[in-house]
Amino acid sequence: MSKPTIDDYLENGIYGQKQTKPDERRKFLGTLRERIVIALTQSQVREKGIYKEVQDQLKKHPDAKLLLNGNMSYTFLSKYIKLADTYHVSFSMVTNKEIETDIGLVLAYDHAIDQEEIYVKKKSEKVMEAKSKPKKSLFSSIKKKLF
Protein backbone atom coordinates (compact mmCIF):
# COMPACT_ATOMS: atom_id res chain seq x y z
CA MET A 1 0.00 0.00 0.00
CA SER A 2 1.52 3.32 -1.06
CA LYS A 3 1.48 6.50 0.97
CA PRO A 4 -1.02 9.17 -0.10
CA THR A 5 0.45 11.82 -2.35
CA ILE A 6 -0.15 15.56 -2.26
CA ASP A 7 -2.59 15.10 -5.16
CA ASP A 8 -4.60 12.65 -3.03
CA TYR A 9 -4.82 15.18 -0.20
CA LEU A 10 -5.87 17.93 -2.61
CA GLU A 11 -8.57 15.73 -4.19
CA ASN A 12 -9.94 14.82 -0.74
CA GLY A 13 -10.00 18.49 0.19
CA ILE A 14 -11.80 19.54 -2.99
CA TYR A 15 -14.18 16.64 -3.62
CA GLY A 16 -14.41 15.02 -0.18
CA GLN A 17 -13.54 11.50 0.88
CA LYS A 18 -14.06 8.83 -1.79
CA GLN A 19 -17.11 6.64 -1.11
CA THR A 20 -18.38 3.38 -2.46
CA LYS A 21 -21.75 3.51 -4.25
CA PRO A 22 -22.39 7.26 -3.84
CA ASP A 23 -25.75 7.16 -5.71
CA GLU A 24 -27.04 4.44 -3.41
CA ARG A 25 -25.90 6.42 -0.37
CA ARG A 26 -27.72 9.52 -1.60
CA LYS A 27 -30.93 7.56 -2.15
CA PHE A 28 -30.89 5.76 1.22
CA LEU A 29 -30.06 8.76 3.43
CA GLY A 30 -26.33 8.14 3.62
CA THR A 31 -26.35 4.37 4.06
CA LEU A 32 -26.16 1.38 1.74
CA ARG A 33 -29.02 -0.91 0.70
CA GLU A 34 -27.33 -3.98 2.21
CA ARG A 35 -27.41 -2.40 5.71
CA ILE A 36 -31.13 -1.57 5.78
CA VAL A 37 -33.65 -3.40 7.95
CA ILE A 38 -36.73 -1.46 6.83
CA ALA A 39 -37.49 1.63 4.74
CA LEU A 40 -40.51 3.89 4.20
CA THR A 41 -41.11 6.36 1.40
CA GLN A 42 -41.89 10.00 2.15
CA SER A 43 -45.56 9.50 1.32
CA GLN A 44 -45.77 6.60 3.79
CA VAL A 45 -44.19 8.72 6.54
CA ARG A 46 -46.76 11.48 5.85
CA GLU A 47 -49.70 9.09 6.40
CA LYS A 48 -51.64 9.25 9.65
CA GLY A 49 -50.48 6.84 12.33
CA ILE A 50 -47.37 4.71 12.30
CA TYR A 51 -46.56 1.53 10.46
CA LYS A 52 -46.69 -1.52 12.72
CA GLU A 53 -43.84 -3.04 10.72
CA VAL A 54 -41.55 -0.16 11.72
CA GLN A 55 -42.56 -0.51 15.36
CA ASP A 56 -41.85 -4.26 15.27
CA GLN A 57 -38.45 -3.74 13.66
CA LEU A 58 -37.51 -1.06 16.20
CA LYS A 59 -38.27 -3.59 18.96
CA LYS A 60 -36.23 -6.33 17.26
CA HIS A 61 -33.23 -4.16 16.32
CA PRO A 62 -32.38 -1.76 19.19
CA ASP A 63 -28.74 -1.52 18.00
CA ALA A 64 -29.73 -0.20 14.57
CA LYS A 65 -30.00 3.52 13.79
CA LEU A 66 -33.11 5.27 12.51
CA LEU A 67 -32.32 7.72 9.70
CA LEU A 68 -34.99 10.32 8.93
CA ASN A 69 -35.18 12.56 5.87
CA GLY A 70 -34.44 16.05 7.21
CA ASN A 71 -36.05 17.68 4.16
CA MET A 72 -39.47 16.56 5.44
CA SER A 73 -41.57 18.49 7.94
CA TYR A 74 -40.90 17.68 11.58
CA THR A 75 -44.63 17.14 12.18
CA PHE A 76 -44.51 13.96 10.07
CA LEU A 77 -41.24 12.71 11.55
CA SER A 78 -42.04 13.38 15.21
CA LYS A 79 -44.18 10.24 15.63
CA TYR A 80 -41.25 8.06 14.53
CA ILE A 81 -38.80 10.02 16.70
CA LYS A 82 -41.02 9.36 19.73
CA LEU A 83 -41.24 5.69 18.76
CA ALA A 84 -37.45 5.42 18.46
CA ASP A 85 -37.09 7.09 21.83
CA THR A 86 -39.57 4.62 23.37
CA TYR A 87 -37.50 1.64 22.19
CA HIS A 88 -34.14 3.34 22.91
CA VAL A 89 -33.07 3.37 19.27
CA SER A 90 -30.75 6.19 18.23
CA PHE A 91 -31.92 8.37 15.36
CA SER A 92 -30.49 11.00 13.08
CA MET A 93 -31.95 13.60 10.73
CA VAL A 94 -30.23 13.47 7.33
CA THR A 95 -30.50 16.64 5.27
CA ASN A 96 -29.06 17.01 1.78
CA LYS A 97 -30.50 19.99 -0.07
CA GLU A 98 -28.85 19.10 -3.40
CA ILE A 99 -30.29 15.60 -3.73
CA GLU A 100 -33.96 14.60 -3.93
CA THR A 101 -34.91 11.15 -2.64
CA ASP A 102 -38.27 9.49 -2.20
CA ILE A 103 -37.08 7.74 0.97
CA GLY A 104 -38.47 9.21 4.18
CA LEU A 105 -37.24 6.79 6.85
CA VAL A 106 -34.61 4.06 7.06
CA LEU A 107 -33.69 1.72 9.91
CA ALA A 108 -30.14 0.53 9.27
CA TYR A 109 -27.03 -0.96 10.84
CA ASP A 110 -23.44 0.14 10.29
CA HIS A 111 -22.67 -3.27 8.75
CA ALA A 112 -24.26 -5.42 6.05
CA ILE A 113 -27.26 -7.60 6.93
CA ASP A 114 -28.60 -8.21 3.38
CA GLN A 115 -32.32 -8.18 4.16
CA GLU A 116 -34.19 -9.29 1.06
CA GLU A 117 -37.29 -7.09 1.34
CA ILE A 118 -36.78 -3.68 2.95
CA TYR A 119 -39.79 -1.76 1.65
CA VAL A 120 -43.13 -1.84 3.45
CA LYS A 121 -46.28 -2.08 1.36
CA LYS A 122 -48.50 0.97 1.58
CA LYS A 123 -51.47 0.77 3.93
CA SER A 124 -53.89 1.31 1.06
CA GLU A 125 -52.38 -1.66 -0.82
CA LYS A 126 -52.81 -3.87 2.23
CA VAL A 127 -56.44 -2.80 2.58
CA MET A 128 -57.04 -3.51 -1.10
CA GLU A 129 -55.56 -7.01 -0.74
CA ALA A 130 -57.87 -7.75 2.20
CA LYS A 131 -60.91 -6.49 0.31
CA SER A 132 -60.15 -8.53 -2.82
CA LYS A 133 -61.65 -11.72 -1.33
CA PRO A 134 -64.37 -13.20 -3.52
CA LYS A 135 -67.78 -11.78 -2.67
CA LYS A 136 -70.76 -14.05 -2.18
CA SER A 137 -73.82 -13.38 -4.23
CA LEU A 138 -77.01 -11.99 -2.76
CA PHE A 139 -78.82 -15.25 -3.47
CA SER A 140 -76.27 -17.36 -1.54
CA SER A 141 -76.43 -15.06 1.51
CA ILE A 142 -80.28 -15.23 1.53
CA LYS A 143 -80.14 -19.00 1.08
CA LYS A 144 -77.74 -19.26 4.02
CA LYS A 145 -80.12 -17.30 6.29
CA LEU A 146 -83.16 -19.36 5.25
CA PHE A 147 -81.62 -22.79 5.59
Side-chain angles (χ1 to χ4, degrees):
M1 201 139 154
S2 64
K3 288 186 175 181
T5 64
I6 292 176
D7 290 335
D8 293 333
Y9 284 113
L10 288 173
E11 276 190 33
N12 283 345
I14 295 170
Y15 302 112
Q17 198 74 340
K18 291 182 182 176
Q19 290 184 336
T20 57
K21 303 180 182 179
D23 292 334
E24 191 173 300
R25 287 180 188 269
R26 282 187 220 104
K27 179 179 180 178
F28 292 115
L29 305 176
T31 191
L32 298 171
R33 161 76 175 78
E34 64 196 21
R35 299 177 177 182
I36 296 174
V37 177
I38 194 166
L40 292 181
T41 62
Q42 287 189 27
S43 61
Q44 288 174 311
V45 173
R46 286 187 191 105
E47 290 177 12
K48 280 190 171 183
I50 58 167
Y51 275 80
K52 179 134 178 62
E53 293 88 345
V54 174
Q55 184 176 6
D56 294 342
Q57 295 300 336
L58 285 169
K59 284 182 197 175
K60 285 183 191 174
H61 303 278
D63 296 334
K65 187 169 188 173
L66 185 66
L67 302 172
L68 302 160
N69 190 332
N71 294 330
M72 293 181 66
S73 172
Y74 182 78
T75 56
F76 300 119
L77 300 174
S78 62
K79 57 190 173 192
Y80 290 103
I81 292 171
K82 289 175 188 171
L83 195 63
D85 199 34
T86 303
Y87 296 112
H88 308 290
V89 174
S90 63
F91 68 91
S92 181
M93 304 281 277
V94 180
T95 305
N96 189 347
K97 298 289 183 188
E98 291 110 36
I99 305 299
E100 282 290 318
T101 180
D102 64 330
I103 301 296
L105 171 149
V106 168
L107 182 65
Y109 281 98
D110 58 355
H111 58 276
I113 58 166
D114 289 322
Q115 181 120 350
E116 193 159 319
E117 186 59 44
I118 62 168
Y119 294 106
V120 178
K121 287 187 177 182
K122 288 192 173 195
K123 287 182 180 178
S124 59
E125 289 176 7
K126 289 182 180 179
V127 171
M128 293 299 281
E129 287 175 9
K131 289 183 179 178
S132 65
K133 292 180 183 175
K135 294 182 179 181
K136 294 184 179 181
S137 67
L138 178 64
F139 179 72
S140 64
S141 61
I142 293 172
K143 185 174 140 183
K144 186 177 179 182
K145 287 181 182 180
L146 291 175
F147 301 107

